[in-house]
């Protein structure tokens, strides 16, 4: 009887230790969308940044909207922004996943975005539907092969911005 109790206790301690280890090493953070800036940048509130922090969607590059009065939008910029706005209305709960480098040179968080309701990666959806291109990063390579494959498929089927090429 004591041997079973000892085994169960030991097993429980190992299980709890494993769970604590996984929680402490996870690269996910829950957030709430405050604003969509464009096709690859949003502002979110997190536990640490309650008033908001700018997030750059990692591994992608969406066409840019003109920010000054005489600047033109790049082709498909409005459509890319609208795609993100439709999926991330204000107060949408999301998860941010980080890779090796968490911040870019402009002070933005670099993250892969997961929409809580669907569990889908917004970054992958942007590329898959032709609203963004794959953008390699020297340190963040977690989804490089997937994003390259998705871009290749979008090009093949001339989806989104690829209809112009």
């Amino acid at each position: 009887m004591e041997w079973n109790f000892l085994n169960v206790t030991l097993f429980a301690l190992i299980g709890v230790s494993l769970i604590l280890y996984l929680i402490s090493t996870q690269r996910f953070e829950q957030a709430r969308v405050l604003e969509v800036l464009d096709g690859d940048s949003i502002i979110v509130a997190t536990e640490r940044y309650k008033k908001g922090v700018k997030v750059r969607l990692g591994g992608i590059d969406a066409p840019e909207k003109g920010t000054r009065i005489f600047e033109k939008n790049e082709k498909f910029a409005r459509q890319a922004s609208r795609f993100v706005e439709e999926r991330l209305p204000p107060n949408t709960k999301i998860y941010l996943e980080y890779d090796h480098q968490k911040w870019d040179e402009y002070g933005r968080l670099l993250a892969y975005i997961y929409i809580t309701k669907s569990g889908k990666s917004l970054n992958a959806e942007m590329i898959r539907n032709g609203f963004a291109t794959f953008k390699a990063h020297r340190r963040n390579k977690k989804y490089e092969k997937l994003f390259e494959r998705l871009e290749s498929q979008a090009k093949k089927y001339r989806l989104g911005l690829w209809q112009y090429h």
Side-chain angles (χ1 to χ4, degrees):
M1 194 72 122
E2 285 181 51
W3 178 244
N4 272 344
F5 177 75
L6 185 60
N7 282 342
V8 169
T9 304
L10 185 59
F11 182 73
L13 285 172
I14 291 170
V16 168
S17 298
L18 180 61
I19 290 169
L20 290 174
Y21 170 77
L22 290 173
I23 288 170
S24 68
T25 59
Q26 72 180 353
R27 294 179 174 264
F28 289 93
E29 182 175 16
Q30 190 170 10
R32 183 175 48 84
V33 176
L34 297 178
E35 182 182 354
V36 172
L37 300 174
D38 59 24
D40 54 25
S41 299
I42 62 176
I43 298 176
V44 302
T46 66
E47 186 64 36
R48 185 171 183 190
Y49 300 101
K50 291 179 180 16
K51 294 189 181 207
V53 63
K54 198 173 197 181
V55 176
R56 173 78 158 81
L57 278 70
I60 73 167
D61 189 25
E64 298 297 324
K65 294 193 301 186
T67 55
R68 293 187 178 83
I69 194 163
F70 296 110
E71 283 183 345
K72 291 174 74 174
N73 290 338
E74 291 181 1
K75 278 188 180 167
F76 228 67
R78 279 196 304 272
Q79 293 92 328
S81 292
R82 197 172 314 119
F83 186 84
V84 176
E85 289 165 352
E86 289 170 358
R87 281 146 188 81
L88 300 180
N91 293 314
T92 301
K93 290 182 182 175
I94 60 172
Y95 282 94
L96 308 175
E97 180 186 15
Y98 306 115
D99 209 330
H100 293 286
Q101 186 174 330
K102 193 172 177 179
W103 297 93
D104 73 4
E105 62 273 18
Y106 303 107
R108 300 175 296 188
L109 276 174
L110 295 172
Y112 306 108
I113 308 296
Y114 293 90
I115 302 168
T116 305
K117 286 183 182 176
S118 69
K120 289 185 177 182
S121 163
L122 181 61
N123 310 51
E125 290 298 305
M126 292 287 292
I127 296 171
R128 177 181 286 117
N129 291 289
F131 291 103
T133 59
F134 163 65
K135 183 177 182 180
H137 187 278
R138 63 183 174 81
R139 296 203 55 222
N140 294 348
K141 298 184 179 296
K142 188 171 192 167
Y143 296 110
E144 194 170 87
K145 290 195 182 341
L146 170 65
F147 288 177
E148 286 175 337
R149 190 172 67 247
L150 292 174
E151 181 178 275
S152 185
Q153 290 171 353
K155 281 181 184 177
K156 178 180 176 181
Y157 295 108
R158 301 180 65 84
L159 299 176
L161 59 90
W162 298 113
Q163 63 189 289
Y164 301 109
H165 291 88

mmCIF file of all heavy atoms in Angstrom, residues 55-78:
data_model
loop_
_atom_site.group_PDB
_atom_site.id
_atom_site.type_symbol
_atom_site.label_atom_id
_atom_site.label_comp_id
_atom_site.label_asym_id
_atom_site.label_seq_id
_atom_site.Cartn_x
_atom_site.Cartn_y
_atom_site.Cartn_z
ATOM 1 N N VAL A 55 2.621 45.845 -32.141
ATOM 2 C CA VAL A 55 3.061 44.503 -32.520
ATOM 3 C C VAL A 55 3.209 44.433 -34.027
ATOM 4 O O VAL A 55 2.324 44.851 -34.768
ATOM 5 C CB VAL A 55 2.048 43.431 -32.053
ATOM 6 C CG1 VAL A 55 2.455 42.047 -32.542
ATOM 7 C CG2 VAL A 55 1.901 43.446 -30.541
ATOM 8 N N ARG A 56 4.329 43.909 -34.471
ATOM 9 C CA ARG A 56 4.593 43.671 -35.889
ATOM 10 C C ARG A 56 4.414 42.183 -36.119
ATOM 11 O O ARG A 56 5.014 41.378 -35.409
ATOM 12 C CB ARG A 56 6.025 44.101 -36.212
ATOM 13 C CG ARG A 56 6.499 43.760 -37.615
ATOM 14 C CD ARG A 56 5.920 44.771 -38.591
ATOM 15 N NE ARG A 56 6.669 44.861 -39.809
ATOM 16 C CZ ARG A 56 6.561 44.013 -40.823
ATOM 17 N NH1 ARG A 56 5.752 42.992 -40.756
ATOM 18 N NH2 ARG A 56 7.265 44.193 -41.910
ATOM 19 N N LEU A 57 3.553 41.805 -37.060
ATOM 20 C CA LEU A 57 3.332 40.399 -37.347
ATOM 21 C C LEU A 57 4.606 39.804 -37.936
ATOM 22 O O LEU A 57 5.083 40.252 -38.983
ATOM 23 C CB LEU A 57 2.159 40.210 -38.315
ATOM 24 C CG LEU A 57 0.766 40.248 -37.677
ATOM 25 C CD1 LEU A 57 0.396 41.633 -37.207
ATOM 26 C CD2 LEU A 57 -0.267 39.706 -38.622
ATOM 27 N N GLY A 58 5.158 38.841 -37.250
ATOM 28 C CA GLY A 58 6.433 38.252 -37.636
ATOM 29 C C GLY A 58 6.348 37.397 -38.882
ATOM 30 O O GLY A 58 5.356 36.715 -39.132
ATOM 31 N N GLY A 59 7.409 37.451 -39.683
ATOM 32 C CA GLY A 59 7.531 36.588 -40.851
ATOM 33 C C GLY A 59 6.755 37.028 -42.070
ATOM 34 O O GLY A 59 6.729 36.323 -43.069
ATOM 35 N N ILE A 60 6.097 38.189 -41.982
ATOM 36 C CA ILE A 60 5.318 38.645 -43.135
ATOM 37 C C ILE A 60 5.625 40.108 -43.445
ATOM 38 O O ILE A 60 6.143 40.834 -42.599
ATOM 39 C CB ILE A 60 3.798 38.473 -42.932
ATOM 40 C CG1 ILE A 60 3.241 39.502 -41.937
ATOM 41 C CG2 ILE A 60 3.453 37.061 -42.510
ATOM 42 C CD1 ILE A 60 1.719 39.578 -41.928
ATOM 43 N N ASP A 61 5.262 40.502 -44.646
ATOM 44 C CA ASP A 61 5.343 41.901 -45.052
ATOM 45 C C ASP A 61 4.110 42.189 -45.906
ATOM 46 O O ASP A 61 3.929 41.602 -46.967
ATOM 47 C CB ASP A 61 6.620 42.156 -45.848
ATOM 48 C CG ASP A 61 6.855 43.632 -46.107
ATOM 49 O OD1 ASP A 61 6.357 44.463 -45.315
ATOM 50 O OD2 ASP A 61 7.539 43.958 -47.092
ATOM 51 N N ALA A 62 3.254 43.057 -45.399
ATOM 52 C CA ALA A 62 2.035 43.430 -46.128
ATOM 53 C C ALA A 62 2.278 44.751 -46.854
ATOM 54 O O ALA A 62 3.099 45.566 -46.417
ATOM 55 C CB ALA A 62 0.863 43.564 -45.155
ATOM 56 N N PRO A 63 1.566 44.992 -47.944
ATOM 57 C CA PRO A 63 1.702 46.268 -48.646
ATOM 58 C C PRO A 63 1.391 47.434 -47.706
ATOM 59 O O PRO A 63 0.502 47.346 -46.857
ATOM 60 C CB PRO A 63 0.657 46.175 -49.759
ATOM 61 C CG PRO A 63 0.389 44.722 -49.925
ATOM 62 C CD PRO A 63 0.591 44.111 -48.578
ATOM 63 N N GLU A 64 2.153 48.511 -47.856
ATOM 64 C CA GLU A 64 2.039 49.664 -46.947
ATOM 65 C C GLU A 64 1.019 50.682 -47.442
ATOM 66 O O GLU A 64 0.925 50.956 -48.638
ATOM 67 C CB GLU A 64 3.398 50.356 -46.807
ATOM 68 C CG GLU A 64 4.471 49.474 -46.203
ATOM 69 C CD GLU A 64 4.179 49.039 -44.793
ATOM 70 O OE1 GLU A 64 3.604 49.834 -44.013
ATOM 71 O OE2 GLU A 64 4.515 47.895 -44.461
ATOM 72 N N LYS A 65 0.287 51.232 -46.469
ATOM 73 C CA LYS A 65 -0.601 52.351 -46.762
ATOM 74 C C LYS A 65 0.236 53.620 -46.722
ATOM 75 O O LYS A 65 1.141 53.742 -45.900
ATOM 76 C CB LYS A 65 -1.711 52.462 -45.696
ATOM 77 C CG LYS A 65 -2.666 51.290 -45.696
ATOM 78 C CD LYS A 65 -3.926 51.515 -44.898
ATOM 79 C CE LYS A 65 -3.717 51.814 -43.447
ATOM 80 N NZ LYS A 65 -4.955 51.887 -42.671
ATOM 81 N N GLY A 66 -0.063 54.565 -47.614
ATOM 82 C CA GLY A 66 0.624 55.853 -47.576
ATOM 83 C C GLY A 66 0.292 56.569 -46.276
ATOM 84 O O GLY A 66 -0.871 56.672 -45.915
ATOM 85 N N THR A 67 1.308 57.040 -45.572
ATOM 86 C CA THR A 67 1.066 57.683 -44.280
ATOM 87 C C THR A 67 1.020 59.198 -44.375
ATOM 88 O O THR A 67 0.483 59.858 -43.501
ATOM 89 C CB THR A 67 2.144 57.277 -43.255
ATOM 90 O OG1 THR A 67 3.433 57.570 -43.800
ATOM 91 C CG2 THR A 67 2.049 55.795 -42.938
ATOM 92 N N ARG A 68 1.586 59.730 -45.444
ATOM 93 C CA ARG A 68 1.566 61.185 -45.628
ATOM 94 C C ARG A 68 0.538 61.532 -46.700
ATOM 95 O O ARG A 68 0.155 60.700 -47.509
ATOM 96 C CB ARG A 68 2.944 61.691 -46.016
ATOM 97 C CG ARG A 68 3.934 61.508 -44.876
ATOM 98 C CD ARG A 68 5.272 62.164 -45.213
ATOM 99 N NE ARG A 68 6.196 62.043 -44.118
ATOM 100 C CZ ARG A 68 6.948 60.967 -43.886
ATOM 101 N NH1 ARG A 68 6.882 59.921 -44.668
ATOM 102 N NH2 ARG A 68 7.774 60.943 -42.861
ATOM 103 N N ILE A 69 0.143 62.769 -46.742
ATOM 104 C CA ILE A 69 -0.946 63.213 -47.602
ATOM 105 C C ILE A 69 -0.706 62.913 -49.091
ATOM 106 O O ILE A 69 -1.635 62.578 -49.816
ATOM 107 C CB ILE A 69 -1.274 64.697 -47.365
ATOM 108 C CG1 ILE A 69 -2.612 65.033 -47.996
ATOM 109 C CG2 ILE A 69 -0.176 65.604 -47.876
ATOM 110 C CD1 ILE A 69 -3.218 66.318 -47.500
ATOM 111 N N PHE A 70 0.539 62.996 -49.548
ATOM 112 C CA PHE A 70 0.806 62.794 -50.973
ATOM 113 C C PHE A 70 1.353 61.399 -51.287
ATOM 114 O O PHE A 70 1.612 61.092 -52.427
ATOM 115 C CB PHE A 70 1.786 63.852 -51.488
ATOM 116 C CG PHE A 70 1.215 65.239 -51.415
ATOM 117 C CD1 PHE A 70 1.709 66.159 -50.510
ATOM 118 C CD2 PHE A 70 0.154 65.608 -52.234
ATOM 119 C CE1 PHE A 70 1.167 67.444 -50.430
ATOM 120 C CE2 PHE A 70 -0.392 66.879 -52.158
ATOM 121 C CZ PHE A 70 0.116 67.794 -51.252
ATOM 122 N N GLU A 71 1.508 60.554 -50.261
ATOM 123 C CA GLU A 71 1.994 59.198 -50.503
ATOM 124 C C GLU A 71 0.847 58.312 -50.965
ATOM 125 O O GLU A 71 -0.246 58.357 -50.415
ATOM 126 C CB GLU A 71 2.586 58.592 -49.222
ATOM 127 C CG GLU A 71 3.957 59.095 -48.895
ATOM 128 C CD GLU A 71 4.523 58.412 -47.657
ATOM 129 O OE1 GLU A 71 3.767 57.768 -46.905
ATOM 130 O OE2 GLU A 71 5.717 58.540 -47.460
ATOM 131 N N LYS A 72 1.132 57.512 -51.974
ATOM 132 C CA LYS A 72 0.127 56.583 -52.469
ATOM 133 C C LYS A 72 0.225 55.273 -51.690
ATOM 134 O O LYS A 72 1.285 54.905 -51.203
ATOM 135 C CB LYS A 72 0.367 56.306 -53.952
ATOM 136 C CG LYS A 72 0.100 57.497 -54.856
ATOM 137 C CD LYS A 72 0.489 57.219 -56.276
ATOM 138 C CE LYS A 72 -0.498 56.284 -56.927
ATOM 139 N NZ LYS A 72 -0.248 56.086 -58.355
ATOM 140 N N ASN A 73 -0.907 54.585 -51.608
ATOM 141 C CA ASN A 73 -0.900 53.239 -51.038
ATOM 142 C C ASN A 73 -0.218 52.297 -52.014
ATOM 143 O O ASN A 73 -0.364 52.440 -53.232
ATOM 144 C CB ASN A 73 -2.330 52.730 -50.823
ATOM 145 C CG ASN A 73 -3.055 53.435 -49.716
ATOM 146 O OD1 ASN A 73 -2.444 54.017 -48.820
ATOM 147 N ND2 ASN A 73 -4.369 53.380 -49.757
ATOM 148 N N GLU A 74 0.524 51.332 -51.498
ATOM 149 C CA GLU A 74 1.032 50.278 -52.353
ATOM 150 C C GLU A 74 -0.167 49.431 -52.796
ATOM 151 O O GLU A 74 -1.189 49.395 -52.112
ATOM 152 C CB GLU A 74 2.037 49.411 -51.591
ATOM 153 C CG GLU A 74 3.329 50.139 -51.280
ATOM 154 C CD GLU A 74 4.326 49.259 -50.531
ATOM 155 O OE1 GLU A 74 4.037 48.076 -50.270
ATOM 156 O OE2 GLU A 74 5.402 49.776 -50.199
ATOM 157 N N LYS A 75 -0.031 48.772 -53.946
ATOM 158 C CA LYS A 75 -1.129 47.922 -54.429
ATOM 159 C C LYS A 75 -1.510 46.916 -53.364
ATOM 160 O O LYS A 75 -0.657 46.281 -52.755
ATOM 161 C CB LYS A 75 -0.707 47.182 -55.700
ATOM 162 C CG LYS A 75 -0.836 48.015 -56.931
ATOM 163 C CD LYS A 75 -0.594 47.190 -58.167
ATOM 164 C CE LYS A 75 -0.750 48.100 -59.355
ATOM 165 N NZ LYS A 75 -0.275 47.540 -60.570
ATOM 166 N N PHE A 76 -2.790 46.793 -53.138
ATOM 167 C CA PHE A 76 -3.400 45.819 -52.241
ATOM 168 C C PHE A 76 -3.252 46.180 -50.759
ATOM 169 O O PHE A 76 -3.585 45.384 -49.890
ATOM 170 C CB PHE A 76 -2.842 44.407 -52.510
ATOM 171 C CG PHE A 76 -3.933 43.387 -52.622
ATOM 172 C CD1 PHE A 76 -4.817 43.407 -53.677
ATOM 173 C CD2 PHE A 76 -4.079 42.417 -51.660
ATOM 174 C CE1 PHE A 76 -5.843 42.476 -53.761
ATOM 175 C CE2 PHE A 76 -5.096 41.487 -51.731
ATOM 176 C CZ PHE A 76 -5.977 41.511 -52.792
ATOM 177 N N ALA A 77 -2.790 47.380 -50.442
ATOM 178 C CA ALA A 77 -2.624 47.793 -49.038
ATOM 179 C C ALA A 77 -3.966 47.874 -48.313
ATOM 180 O O ALA A 77 -4.090 47.408 -47.180
ATOM 181 C CB ALA A 77 -1.894 49.131 -48.954
ATOM 182 N N ARG A 78 -4.962 48.478 -48.954
ATOM 183 C CA ARG A 78 -6.283 48.594 -48.303
ATOM 184 C C ARG A 78 -6.912 47.224 -48.068
ATOM 185 O O ARG A 78 -7.497 46.967 -47.024
ATOM 186 C CB ARG A 78 -7.223 49.469 -49.137
ATOM 187 C CG ARG A 78 -7.006 50.957 -48.928
ATOM 188 C CD ARG A 78 -8.176 51.770 -49.452
ATOM 189 N NE ARG A 78 -8.496 51.529 -50.852
ATOM 190 C CZ ARG A 78 -7.951 52.183 -51.874
ATOM 191 N NH1 ARG A 78 -7.073 53.142 -51.654
ATOM 192 N NH2 ARG A 78 -8.292 51.906 -53.114
#
